[in-house]
Amino acid sequence: MSFSEDWLGLRAGFDTRARSRMLEGRLGSWTSQRVTRTGRPLSVVDLGAGSGNNYRHLHPRLPVEQAWTLVDADAALLTAAQRTAPTMAVQTIDLATDLEGALPAGTDLVTASALIDLVSATWLERLMARVDALGAALLVVLTYDGRTLWEPSEPFDDRVLELVNRHQRSDKGFGPALGPDAALALARLTGQRAVEETSDWIIDAGDMAMRRALVDGWASAALDIAPDESASINSWRSRSIDRRARLTVGHVDQLLIPPA
Ligand SMILES: C[S@@+](CC[C@H](N)C(=O)[O-])C[C@H]1O[C@@H](n2cnc3c(N)ncnc32)[C@H](O)[C@@H]1O
């Protein structure tokens, strides 16, 4: 599945406003202890890093020296990431097949932003097994959780959301995707050891570019699932693209700190 640099750039500001500061504070305290103990920079691997949004957000907020590796299947996005940090390490890897190769011994922190709703239950189990084997921390942010609220709403919003959430569960290259169930699946896999907080996007009536991009994406996903409803879906798209409404899109951030 491919993601455009323009889309990732558009979402960056909404991501930064949404992300859990409580989890970042907890992670920051842990990184200080870890680096004091190891005596070397914190080794961070960002899975599905894209054009580097997660790096640009988190790197300045952690209170320790860090060595990041950005991993993605899309080499062009990684090249875009390197424009903002030319010395950063990048690796072009298909994570569906070589997850373990992306997470070498010595990794202190595994992180992923807007990734785990694309993956399968089996892949998430592999990720957790590797994180546990490494004794690393895990910070997973901006996982879509199936909630979208229009204020004011209209009757067809619920049907579009239902179709979009079905589309979210289709295969994105990792097997049947967890979609809106991803954060719950991760919480279960960690034995509820993960700390979590919602990180919802708030899209105000004036945020036209973001609303247009979302409405286009949702209409296209809904049409994939229910092509026989094209008249209603296209009409909803036309009405919604410039709708003066506030949108909330539900996400979850999760942090797992390894046992001392
Ligand atoms: C929603 S984007 C998030 C990008 C970035 N983490 C961010 O927050 O802006 C998902 C990312 O996962 C990457 N991706 C999807 N499938 C992948 C795979 N099989 N292996 C590696 N990366 C993959 C995409 O190329 C894309 O950059």
Side-chain angles (χ1 to χ4, degrees), residues 1-4 7-9 11-12 15 19 46-56 71-75 77-78 91-98 111-119 123 141-142 172-174:
M1 188 171 187
S2 67
F3 294 83
S4 77
W7 162 244
L8 297 180
R11 60 174 292 163
D15 288 352
R19 290 175 62 146
D46 184 9
L47 301 174
S51 55
N53 282 341
N54 194 19
Y55 166 82
R56 281 186 293 279
V71 180
D72 205 282
D74 188 329
L77 288 179
L78 292 175
Q91 276 195 305
T92 307
I93 291 181
D94 181 352
L95 288 167
T97 52
D98 195 16
T111 182
S113 165
L115 180 75
I116 71 161
D117 38 43
L118 305 178
V119 310
W123 190 91
V141 299
L142 295 157
K172 310 289 189 313
F174 295 85

Side-chain angles (χ1 to χ4, degrees), residues 208-238:
M208 288 166 52
M210 184 63 162
R211 185 178 56 249
R212 284 176 179 211
L214 287 172
V215 166
D216 271 337
W218 289 335
S220 156
L223 283 168
D224 270 0
I225 299 293
D228 51 318
E229 294 180 41
S230 63
S232 315
I233 293 168
N234 285 326
S235 158
W236 176 88
R237 180 191 170 280
S238 304

